[in-house]
Amino acid sequence: MSELGVDLMSPSGWLPLVFALVMALSMLAYVVLDGFDLGVGALLDSADSLEHKDMMIASIGPFWDANETWLVLGVGVLLVGFPMAHGVILGALYLPVALMLVTLSLRGVAFDFRVKAKAQHRPLWDKVFYIGSILASWAQGFMLGQLIIGFKQDMSSYLFSALIGFCLLFAYRMLGAGWLIMKTEGSLQLKAVLWAKNSLWLTAAGVLAISIATPWVSQRIFDKWFSFPNLLMLLPIPVMTFSLFIVIGRSLSRLPTRFAQGNQYGAGVPFASTVGIFLLSFYGLAYSLFPWLVIDQLDIWQAASSPEALMVIFYGVVVVFPVIIGYTIFAYWVFWGKSTKLHY
C-alpha cells in the first residue's frame, strides 16, 4: 500500500497511474507542438506582406495537422480511462470546448482554402486562420484557468480564467515567434524577434498568475508547496523558470545584431527556452494537482474505469503511443532546417 492508500502492485492501482501519465504526456506534447503553430497563426495578421504570410504558413505546413493528434489522444484517454472525470470536466467546460473545436476546424478550412482561393480572396482566409488561432488559444487558456480553480462558477473565477486565456495566447505567440526565428531568415526573422519581445512579459505575467493562484485553490496544494522540506526541494522550479525568462530576454536583444552579420548562432535559444518554461510550468501544475483530476473531488483512482477495461485498452496504448511518438520525431527530422518558399 502506498501513502495514498492505494495498492500500486495491483492492476487497480498502477493502471490508473499509467493512463494518467499517458494523458499528461499527450497534453504536454499538444501544448508545445500545437502551441507553436497556433502561435504562428496568431501572429499571421502582424505580417505586412503576402510573401511573409506564405513563409509563415510554410514553416508550419508539414506539422500543424499532425500536432493535433496529441489532443485527440489526450482527450481519448480521458474518456476511456477516466469516464467519470470526463463527464465532470467536459460538462463544466462545454462552451469553451465547443469554441475550441469550432475554431480549430476553421483553421483547417482556412489552411486548405487559401491554397485554391483567388488572389483577392486569400486575405479573407488568412484572416480566418488568424482569428481561429487566437480564439482556439484563448479557449485553451480559459479551460486551464477553470481547471486550476476547480471549475468554480462565479464572476471572479470567470475573470481569472479569461486572464489566463489571454496570457496563454501570448505564450503561444512567443512560442510561435521563437519557431519563426529558427525557421526563417531576413526581414521576417527580424520581425519574429520583435514579436517575441512583445509577448515575453505577458507570458511571464501568466506564469506568475498561475503560480500564485494554484496554491490558494486548495489547502492540500498549499501544504504541498509551502511545507518543509518541500519548499526547499521545489525552489529550483521558480528559480529556473525566472532564469529562462532572463535568457530569452538577453537572447532577443542580441540576435538582431548577429542576424545582420549573417550569423545564425543562437537562433534556437528563444524557442528552446520557451519550451523549457512550458515544461517547468507543466511539471509544477502536475505536482500541484496530483492525484486529483478534479481538485478535492475526484482523484485518478476514483475516476478510473474498471481494471479489466483498462487492461484491454492498455494493450492498445502500448502499440499506438510509440507509433505516434515515432512518426512525430520522423516528421520533424525530415523537415528540420530553414523553411523554403511556399509552392502549390
Side-chain angles (χ1 to χ4, degrees), residues 271-284:
F271 181 79
S273 298
T274 305
V275 171
I277 291 171
F278 272 84
L279 293 176
L280 288 168
S281 300
F282 189 88
Y283 176 80

Side-chain angles (χ1 to χ4, degrees), residues 284-303:
L285 185 61
Y287 172 80
S288 298
L289 297 181
F290 182 82
W292 302 101
L293 289 174
V294 181
I295 295 178
D296 291 340
Q297 295 183 43
L298 278 176
D299 65 30
I300 60 175
W301 291 281
Q302 292 169 337

Side-chain angles (χ1 to χ4, degrees), residues 219-240:
Q219 186 62 43
R220 295 174 188 264
I221 297 176
F222 185 89
D223 292 340
K224 288 175 75 172
W225 278 94
F226 295 104
S227 60
F228 285 95
N230 292 9
L231 180 60
L232 294 178
M233 294 172 61
L234 296 169
L235 188 59
I237 296 177
V239 171
M240 291 172 64

